[in-house]
PDB file of all heavy atoms in Angstrom:
ATOM      1  N   PRO A 143       0.804  -1.231   0.000  1.00 98.00           N
ATOM      2  CA  PRO A 143      -0.002   0.003  -0.002  1.00 98.00           C
ATOM      3  C   PRO A 143       0.826   1.270  -0.002  1.00 98.00           C
ATOM      4  O   PRO A 143       1.945   1.310   0.528  1.00 98.00           O
ATOM      5  CB  PRO A 143      -0.759  -0.111   1.322  1.00 98.00           C
ATOM      6  CG  PRO A 143       0.218  -0.785   2.239  1.00 98.00           C
ATOM      7  CD  PRO A 143       0.997  -1.753   1.363  1.00 98.00           C
ATOM      8  N   PHE A 144       0.288   2.305  -0.613  1.00 96.00           N
ATOM      9  CA  PHE A 144       0.828   3.644  -0.406  1.00 96.00           C
ATOM     10  C   PHE A 144      -0.332   4.636  -0.493  1.00 96.00           C
ATOM     11  O   PHE A 144      -1.267   4.479  -1.281  1.00 96.00           O
ATOM     12  CB  PHE A 144       1.944   3.999  -1.395  1.00 96.00           C
ATOM     13  CG  PHE A 144       1.562   3.979  -2.840  1.00 96.00           C
ATOM     14  CD1 PHE A 144       1.154   5.143  -3.481  1.00 96.00           C
ATOM     15  CD2 PHE A 144       1.633   2.809  -3.587  1.00 96.00           C
ATOM     16  CE1 PHE A 144       0.810   5.141  -4.819  1.00 96.00           C
ATOM     17  CE2 PHE A 144       1.291   2.795  -4.938  1.00 96.00           C
ATOM     18  CZ  PHE A 144       0.876   3.963  -5.551  1.00 96.00           C
ATOM     19  N   ASP A 145      -0.262   5.631   0.384  1.00 97.00           N
ATOM     20  CA  ASP A 145      -1.313   6.664   0.440  1.00 97.00           C
ATOM     21  C   ASP A 145      -1.066   7.706  -0.645  1.00 97.00           C
ATOM     22  O   ASP A 145       0.075   8.143  -0.854  1.00 97.00           O
ATOM     23  CB  ASP A 145      -1.298   7.349   1.806  1.00 97.00           C
ATOM     24  CG  ASP A 145      -1.662   6.415   2.934  1.00 97.00           C
ATOM     25  OD1 ASP A 145      -2.344   5.408   2.666  1.00 97.00           O
ATOM     26  OD2 ASP A 145      -1.270   6.682   4.089  1.00 97.00           O
ATOM     27  N   LEU A 146      -2.131   8.117  -1.310  1.00 97.00           N
ATOM     28  CA  LEU A 146      -2.014   9.165  -2.320  1.00 97.00           C
ATOM     29  C   LEU A 146      -2.165  10.523  -1.641  1.00 97.00           C
ATOM     30  O   LEU A 146      -3.010  10.725  -0.763  1.00 97.00           O
ATOM     31  CB  LEU A 146      -3.098   9.010  -3.379  1.00 97.00           C
ATOM     32  CG  LEU A 146      -3.065   7.725  -4.223  1.00 97.00           C
ATOM     33  CD1 LEU A 146      -4.048   7.839  -5.383  1.00 97.00           C
ATOM     34  CD2 LEU A 146      -1.668   7.446  -4.750  1.00 97.00           C
ATOM     35  N   VAL A 147      -1.332  11.468  -2.062  1.00 95.00           N
ATOM     36  CA  VAL A 147      -1.346  12.812  -1.477  1.00 95.00           C
ATOM     37  C   VAL A 147      -1.311  13.859  -2.582  1.00 95.00           C
ATOM     38  O   VAL A 147      -0.926  13.567  -3.723  1.00 95.00           O
ATOM     39  CB  VAL A 147      -0.152  13.025  -0.523  1.00 95.00           C
ATOM     40  CG1 VAL A 147      -0.225  12.064   0.663  1.00 95.00           C
ATOM     41  CG2 VAL A 147       1.175  12.850  -1.268  1.00 95.00           C
ATOM     42  N   ASP A 148      -1.707  15.086  -2.216  1.00 92.00           N
ATOM     43  CA  ASP A 148      -1.663  16.181  -3.185  1.00 92.00           C
ATOM     44  C   ASP A 148      -0.281  16.814  -3.204  1.00 92.00           C
ATOM     45  O   ASP A 148       0.676  16.311  -2.577  1.00 92.00           O
ATOM     46  CB  ASP A 148      -2.743  17.223  -2.861  1.00 92.00           C
ATOM     47  CG  ASP A 148      -2.585  17.866  -1.488  1.00 92.00           C
ATOM     48  OD1 ASP A 148      -1.465  17.800  -0.914  1.00 92.00           O
ATOM     49  OD2 ASP A 148      -3.564  18.440  -0.984  1.00 92.00           O
ATOM     50  N   ALA A 149      -0.165  17.935  -3.924  1.00 86.00           N
ATOM     51  CA  ALA A 149       1.142  18.576  -4.093  1.00 86.00           C
ATOM     52  C   ALA A 149       1.719  19.066  -2.773  1.00 86.00           C
ATOM     53  O   ALA A 149       2.942  19.251  -2.646  1.00 86.00           O
ATOM     54  CB  ALA A 149       1.018  19.733  -5.070  1.00 86.00           C
ATOM     55  N   ASP A 150       0.856  19.279  -1.778  1.00 88.00           N
ATOM     56  CA  ASP A 150       1.320  19.743  -0.463  1.00 88.00           C
ATOM     57  C   ASP A 150       1.523  18.601   0.533  1.00 88.00           C
ATOM     58  O   ASP A 150       1.796  18.845   1.706  1.00 88.00           O
ATOM     59  CB  ASP A 150       0.329  20.752   0.111  1.00 88.00           C
ATOM     60  CG  ASP A 150       0.219  22.008  -0.740  1.00 88.00           C
ATOM     61  OD1 ASP A 150       1.260  22.471  -1.231  1.00 88.00           O
ATOM     62  OD2 ASP A 150      -0.904  22.501  -0.918  1.00 88.00           O
ATOM     63  N   GLY A 151       1.377  17.371   0.052  1.00 91.00           N
ATOM     64  CA  GLY A 151       1.571  16.229   0.937  1.00 91.00           C
ATOM     65  C   GLY A 151       0.361  15.849   1.753  1.00 91.00           C
ATOM     66  O   GLY A 151       0.470  15.004   2.656  1.00 91.00           O
ATOM     67  N   ASN A 152      -0.791  16.445   1.453  1.00 91.00           N
ATOM     68  CA  ASN A 152      -2.008  16.122   2.184  1.00 91.00           C
ATOM     69  C   ASN A 152      -2.767  14.977   1.517  1.00 91.00           C
ATOM     70  O   ASN A 152      -2.807  14.884   0.293  1.00 91.00           O
ATOM     71  CB  ASN A 152      -2.926  17.344   2.251  1.00 91.00           C
ATOM     72  CG  ASN A 152      -2.280  18.513   2.945  1.00 91.00           C
ATOM     73  OD1 ASN A 152      -1.719  18.357   4.038  1.00 91.00           O
ATOM     74  ND2 ASN A 152      -2.339  19.682   2.353  1.00 91.00           N
ATOM     75  N   GLY A 153      -3.359  14.118   2.330  1.00 94.00           N
ATOM     76  CA  GLY A 153      -4.131  13.013   1.789  1.00 94.00           C
ATOM     77  C   GLY A 153      -5.321  13.516   0.972  1.00 94.00           C
ATOM     78  O   GLY A 153      -5.909  14.549   1.263  1.00 94.00           O
ATOM     79  N   ILE A 154      -5.660  12.785  -0.071  1.00 96.00           N
ATOM     80  CA  ILE A 154      -6.817  13.105  -0.905  1.00 96.00           C
ATOM     81  C   ILE A 154      -7.905  12.063  -0.660  1.00 96.00           C
ATOM     82  O   ILE A 154      -7.671  11.031  -0.047  1.00 96.00           O
ATOM     83  CB  ILE A 154      -6.448  13.157  -2.396  1.00 96.00           C
ATOM     84  CG1 ILE A 154      -5.821  11.829  -2.850  1.00 96.00           C
ATOM     85  CG2 ILE A 154      -5.481  14.309  -2.659  1.00 96.00           C
ATOM     86  CD1 ILE A 154      -5.506  11.771  -4.328  1.00 96.00           C
ATOM     87  N   GLY A 155      -9.111  12.341  -1.131  1.00 97.00           N
ATOM     88  CA  GLY A 155     -10.242  11.458  -0.856  1.00 97.00           C
ATOM     89  C   GLY A 155     -10.151  10.109  -1.527  1.00 97.00           C
ATOM     90  O   GLY A 155      -9.250   9.833  -2.312  1.00 97.00           O
ATOM     91  N   GLU A 156     -11.100   9.268  -1.213  1.00 97.00           N
ATOM     92  CA  GLU A 156     -11.032   7.849  -1.585  1.00 97.00           C
ATOM     93  C   GLU A 156     -10.891   7.601  -3.080  1.00 97.00           C
ATOM     94  O   GLU A 156     -11.363   8.385  -3.902  1.00 97.00           O
ATOM     95  CB  GLU A 156     -12.267   7.114  -1.068  1.00 97.00           C
ATOM     96  CG  GLU A 156     -13.556   7.409  -1.781  1.00 97.00           C
ATOM     97  CD  GLU A 156     -14.692   6.517  -1.290  1.00 97.00           C
ATOM     98  OE1 GLU A 156     -14.731   5.339  -1.711  1.00 97.00           O
ATOM     99  OE2 GLU A 156     -15.511   6.985  -0.492  1.00 97.00           O
ATOM    100  N   ALA A 157     -10.231   6.495  -3.421  1.00 98.00           N
ATOM    101  CA  ALA A 157     -10.087   6.046  -4.792  1.00 98.00           C
ATOM    102  C   ALA A 157     -11.275   5.145  -5.135  1.00 98.00           C
ATOM    103  O   ALA A 157     -11.567   4.200  -4.392  1.00 98.00           O
ATOM    104  CB  ALA A 157      -8.770   5.289  -4.969  1.00 98.00           C
ATOM    105  N   ASP A 158     -11.918   5.426  -6.268  1.00 98.00           N
ATOM    106  CA  ASP A 158     -13.121   4.688  -6.648  1.00 98.00           C
ATOM    107  C   ASP A 158     -13.014   3.900  -7.928  1.00 98.00           C
ATOM    108  O   ASP A 158     -13.859   3.050  -8.203  1.00 98.00           O
ATOM    109  CB  ASP A 158     -14.310   5.659  -6.769  1.00 98.00           C
ATOM    110  CG  ASP A 158     -14.757   6.204  -5.440  1.00 98.00           C
ATOM    111  OD1 ASP A 158     -15.040   5.399  -4.544  1.00 98.00           O
ATOM    112  OD2 ASP A 158     -14.820   7.431  -5.281  1.00 98.00           O
ATOM    113  N   GLY A 159     -12.006   4.164  -8.740  1.00 98.00           N
ATOM    114  CA  GLY A 159     -11.886   3.471 -10.025  1.00 98.00           C
ATOM    115  C   GLY A 159     -10.461   3.225 -10.428  1.00 98.00           C
ATOM    116  O   GLY A 159      -9.565   4.013 -10.107  1.00 98.00           O
ATOM    117  N   VAL A 160     -10.235   2.113 -11.139  1.00 98.00           N
ATOM    118  CA  VAL A 160      -8.925   1.760 -11.677  1.00 98.00           C
ATOM    119  C   VAL A 160      -9.119   1.439 -13.152  1.00 98.00           C
ATOM    120  O   VAL A 160     -10.070   0.757 -13.528  1.00 98.00           O
ATOM    121  CB  VAL A 160      -8.348   0.517 -10.963  1.00 98.00           C
ATOM    122  CG1 VAL A 160      -7.009   0.126 -11.575  1.00 98.00           C
ATOM    123  CG2 VAL A 160      -8.199   0.753  -9.485  1.00 98.00           C
ATOM    124  N   SER A 161      -8.218   1.927 -14.005  1.00 98.00           N
ATOM    125  CA  SER A 161      -8.282   1.534 -15.406  1.00 98.00           C
ATOM    126  C   SER A 161      -8.055   0.044 -15.506  1.00 98.00           C
ATOM    127  O   SER A 161      -7.392  -0.575 -14.668  1.00 98.00           O
ATOM    128  CB  SER A 161      -7.255   2.295 -16.229  1.00 98.00           C
ATOM    129  OG  SER A 161      -5.943   2.046 -15.761  1.00 98.00           O
ATOM    130  N   SER A 162      -8.602  -0.563 -16.539  1.00 98.00           N
ATOM    131  CA  SER A 162      -8.498  -2.007 -16.704  1.00 98.00           C
ATOM    132  C   SER A 162      -7.060  -2.480 -16.700  1.00 98.00           C
ATOM    133  O   SER A 162      -6.733  -3.555 -16.175  1.00 98.00           O
ATOM    134  CB  SER A 162      -9.204  -2.426 -18.005  1.00 98.00           C
ATOM    135  OG  SER A 162      -9.245  -3.825 -18.134  1.00 98.00           O
ATOM    136  N   ASN A 163      -6.155  -1.678 -17.266  1.00 98.00           N
ATOM    137  CA  ASN A 163      -4.748  -2.065 -17.329  1.00 98.00           C
ATOM    138  C   ASN A 163      -3.961  -1.677 -16.078  1.00 98.00           C
ATOM    139  O   ASN A 163      -2.753  -1.931 -15.984  1.00 98.00           O
ATOM    140  CB  ASN A 163      -4.076  -1.456 -18.565  1.00 98.00           C
ATOM    141  CG  ASN A 163      -4.133   0.062 -18.573  1.00 98.00           C
ATOM    142  OD1 ASN A 163      -4.495   0.709 -17.584  1.00 98.00           O
ATOM    143  ND2 ASN A 163      -3.794   0.653 -19.715  1.00 98.00           N
ATOM    144  N   GLY A 164      -4.609  -1.032 -15.111  1.00 98.00           N
ATOM    145  CA  GLY A 164      -3.970  -0.700 -13.848  1.00 98.00           C
ATOM    146  C   GLY A 164      -3.067   0.517 -13.865  1.00 98.00           C
ATOM    147  O   GLY A 164      -2.430   0.818 -12.848  1.00 98.00           O
ATOM    148  N   LEU A 165      -3.020   1.259 -14.971  1.00 98.00           N
ATOM    149  CA  LEU A 165      -2.106   2.397 -15.057  1.00 98.00           C
ATOM    150  C   LEU A 165      -2.665   3.673 -14.446  1.00 98.00           C
ATOM    151  O   LEU A 165      -1.901   4.582 -14.110  1.00 98.00           O
ATOM    152  CB  LEU A 165      -1.742   2.655 -16.530  1.00 98.00           C
ATOM    153  CG  LEU A 165      -0.964   1.545 -17.235  1.00 98.00           C
ATOM    154  CD1 LEU A 165      -0.648   1.954 -18.659  1.00 98.00           C
ATOM    155  CD2 LEU A 165       0.313   1.207 -16.471  1.00 98.00           C
ATOM    156  N   TYR A 166      -3.981   3.744 -14.287  1.00 98.00           N
ATOM    157  CA  TYR A 166      -4.603   4.965 -13.788  1.00 98.00           C
ATOM    158  C   TYR A 166      -5.607   4.647 -12.692  1.00 98.00           C
ATOM    159  O   TYR A 166      -6.296   3.629 -12.735  1.00 98.00           O
ATOM    160  CB  TYR A 166      -5.298   5.729 -14.919  1.00 98.00           C
ATOM    161  CG  TYR A 166      -4.345   6.175 -16.003  1.00 98.00           C
ATOM    162  CD1 TYR A 166      -4.118   5.356 -17.112  1.00 98.00           C
ATOM    163  CD2 TYR A 166      -3.656   7.366 -15.905  1.00 98.00           C
ATOM    164  CE1 TYR A 166      -3.221   5.741 -18.105  1.00 98.00           C
ATOM    165  CE2 TYR A 166      -2.774   7.764 -16.898  1.00 98.00           C
ATOM    166  CZ  TYR A 166      -2.555   6.945 -17.995  1.00 98.00           C
ATOM    167  OH  TYR A 166      -1.673   7.342 -18.966  1.00 98.00           O
ATOM    168  N   VAL A 167      -5.678   5.554 -11.714  1.00 98.00           N
ATOM    169  CA  VAL A 167      -6.643   5.469 -10.616  1.00 98.00           C
ATOM    170  C   VAL A 167      -7.343   6.808 -10.515  1.00 98.00           C
ATOM    171  O   VAL A 167      -6.708   7.861 -10.694  1.00 98.00           O
ATOM    172  CB  VAL A 167      -5.943   5.115  -9.288  1.00 98.00           C
ATOM    173  CG1 VAL A 167      -6.937   5.126  -8.130  1.00 98.00           C
ATOM    174  CG2 VAL A 167      -5.246   3.755  -9.379  1.00 98.00           C
ATOM    175  N   VAL A 168      -8.646   6.785 -10.233  1.00 98.00           N
ATOM    176  CA  VAL A 168      -9.401   8.032 -10.074  1.00 98.00           C
ATOM    177  C   VAL A 168     -10.181   8.001  -8.772  1.00 98.00           C
ATOM    178  O   VAL A 168     -10.470   6.943  -8.219  1.00 98.00           O
ATOM    179  CB  VAL A 168     -10.356   8.273 -11.265  1.00 98.00           C
ATOM    180  CG1 VAL A 168      -9.600   8.521 -12.542  1.00 98.00           C
ATOM    181  CG2 VAL A 168     -11.330   7.107 -11.437  1.00 98.00           C
ATOM    182  N   GLY A 169     -10.535   9.198  -8.301  1.00 98.00           N
ATOM    183  CA  GLY A 169     -11.296   9.297  -7.073  1.00 98.00           C
ATOM    184  C   GLY A 169     -11.792  10.701  -6.841  1.00 98.00           C
ATOM    185  O   GLY A 169     -11.866  11.524  -7.762  1.00 98.00           O
ATOM    186  N   SER A 170     -12.114  11.011  -5.590  1.00 97.00           N
ATOM    187  CA  SER A 170     -12.774  12.275  -5.254  1.00 97.00           C
ATOM    188  C   SER A 170     -12.012  13.029  -4.172  1.00 97.00           C
ATOM    189  O   SER A 170     -11.091  12.503  -3.546  1.00 97.00           O
ATOM    190  CB  SER A 170     -14.205  12.009  -4.776  1.00 97.00           C
ATOM    191  OG  SER A 170     -14.184  11.174  -3.616  1.00 97.00           O
ATOM    192  N   ASP A 171     -12.430  14.277  -3.967  1.00 95.00           N
ATOM    193  CA  ASP A 171     -11.994  15.114  -2.843  1.00 95.00           C
ATOM    194  C   ASP A 171     -10.523  15.493  -2.905  1.00 95.00           C
ATOM    195  O   ASP A 171      -9.747  15.260  -1.975  1.00 95.00           O
ATOM    196  CB  ASP A 171     -12.313  14.426  -1.520  1.00 95.00           C
ATOM    197  CG  ASP A 171     -12.345  15.410  -0.348  1.00 95.00           C
ATOM    198  OD1 ASP A 171     -12.436  16.617  -0.606  1.00 95.00           O
ATOM    199  OD2 ASP A 171     -12.274  14.968   0.814  1.00 95.00           O
ATOM    200  N   TYR A 172     -10.147  16.125  -4.026  1.00 96.00           N
ATOM    201  CA  TYR A 172      -8.839  16.782  -4.107  1.00 96.00           C
ATOM    202  C   TYR A 172      -9.076  18.251  -3.765  1.00 96.00           C
ATOM    203  O   TYR A 172      -9.728  18.982  -4.514  1.00 96.00           O
ATOM    204  CB  TYR A 172      -8.269  16.660  -5.527  1.00 96.00           C
ATOM    205  CG  TYR A 172      -6.877  17.242  -5.684  1.00 96.00           C
ATOM    206  CD1 TYR A 172      -5.773  16.407  -5.752  1.00 96.00           C
ATOM    207  CD2 TYR A 172      -6.668  18.614  -5.783  1.00 96.00           C
ATOM    208  CE1 TYR A 172      -4.487  16.938  -5.901  1.00 96.00           C
ATOM    209  CE2 TYR A 172      -5.401  19.147  -5.932  1.00 96.00           C
ATOM    210  CZ  TYR A 172      -4.321  18.305  -5.989  1.00 96.00           C
ATOM    211  OH  TYR A 172      -3.058  18.809  -6.148  1.00 96.00           O
ATOM    212  N   PHE A 173      -8.563  18.688  -2.624  1.00 91.00           N
ATOM    213  CA  PHE A 173      -8.843  20.030  -2.130  1.00 91.00           C
ATOM    214  C   PHE A 173      -7.803  21.028  -2.628  1.00 91.00           C
ATOM    215  O   PHE A 173      -6.603  20.804  -2.492  1.00 91.00           O
ATOM    216  CB  PHE A 173      -8.880  20.047  -0.600  1.00 91.00           C
ATOM    217  CG  PHE A 173      -9.226  21.387  -0.026  1.00 91.00           C
ATOM    218  CD1 PHE A 173     -10.522  21.880  -0.111  1.00 91.00           C
ATOM    219  CD2 PHE A 173      -8.258  22.150   0.601  1.00 91.00           C
ATOM    220  CE1 PHE A 173     -10.844  23.122   0.423  1.00 91.00           C
ATOM    221  CE2 PHE A 173      -8.555  23.391   1.145  1.00 91.00           C
ATOM    222  CZ  PHE A 173      -9.872  23.886   1.043  1.00 91.00           C
ATOM    223  N   ASP A 174      -8.292  22.112  -3.237  1.00 85.00           N
ATOM    224  CA  ASP A 174      -7.431  23.191  -3.726  1.00 85.00           C
ATOM    225  C   ASP A 174      -7.453  24.322  -2.692  1.00 85.00           C
ATOM    226  O   ASP A 174      -8.473  25.003  -2.536  1.00 85.00           O
ATOM    227  CB  ASP A 174      -7.937  23.695  -5.075  1.00 85.00           C
ATOM    228  CG  ASP A 174      -6.972  24.690  -5.711  1.00 85.00           C
ATOM    229  OD1 ASP A 174      -6.385  25.512  -4.986  1.00 85.00           O
ATOM    230  OD2 ASP A 174      -6.821  24.651  -6.940  1.00 85.00           O
ATOM    231  N   ALA A 175      -6.347  24.509  -2.000  1.00 81.00           N
ATOM    232  CA  ALA A 175      -6.287  25.510  -0.935  1.00 81.00           C
ATOM    233  C   ALA A 175      -6.404  26.929  -1.470  1.00 81.00           C
ATOM    234  O   ALA A 175      -6.830  27.852  -0.749  1.00 81.00           O
ATOM    235  CB  ALA A 175      -4.992  25.371  -0.150  1.00 81.00           C
ATOM    236  N   ASP A 176      -6.027  27.135  -2.727  1.00 79.00           N
ATOM    237  CA  ASP A 176      -6.100  28.482  -3.307  1.00 79.00           C
ATOM    238  C   ASP A 176      -7.530  28.894  -3.620  1.00 79.00           C
ATOM    239  O   ASP A 176      -7.928  30.038  -3.371  1.00 79.00           O
ATOM    240  CB  ASP A 176      -5.244  28.564  -4.570  1.00 79.00           C
ATOM    241  CG  ASP A 176      -3.753  28.410  -4.289  1.00 79.00           C
ATOM    242  OD1 ASP A 176      -3.327  28.808  -3.189  1.00 79.00           O
ATOM    243  OD2 ASP A 176      -3.049  27.881  -5.153  1.00 79.00           O
TER     244      ASP A 176
END
């Protein structure tokens, strides 16, 4: 396992989908502080 984080090192929301070939993962709740 490894936790996914944003550019500031903060955790992002849950992962909900994986491409069939496993190269890409998508999910929700990426917070933009700006």
Side-chain angles (χ1 to χ4, degrees):
F144 61 93
D145 295 336
L146 297 190
V147 297
D148 62 18
D150 296 321
N152 299 312
I154 57 177
E156 72 174 283
D158 290 306
V160 178
S161 60
S162 185
N163 60 11
L165 295 182
Y166 299 91
V167 176
V168 294
S170 60
D171 200 17
Y172 183 103
F173 183 72
D174 187 322
D176 293 330

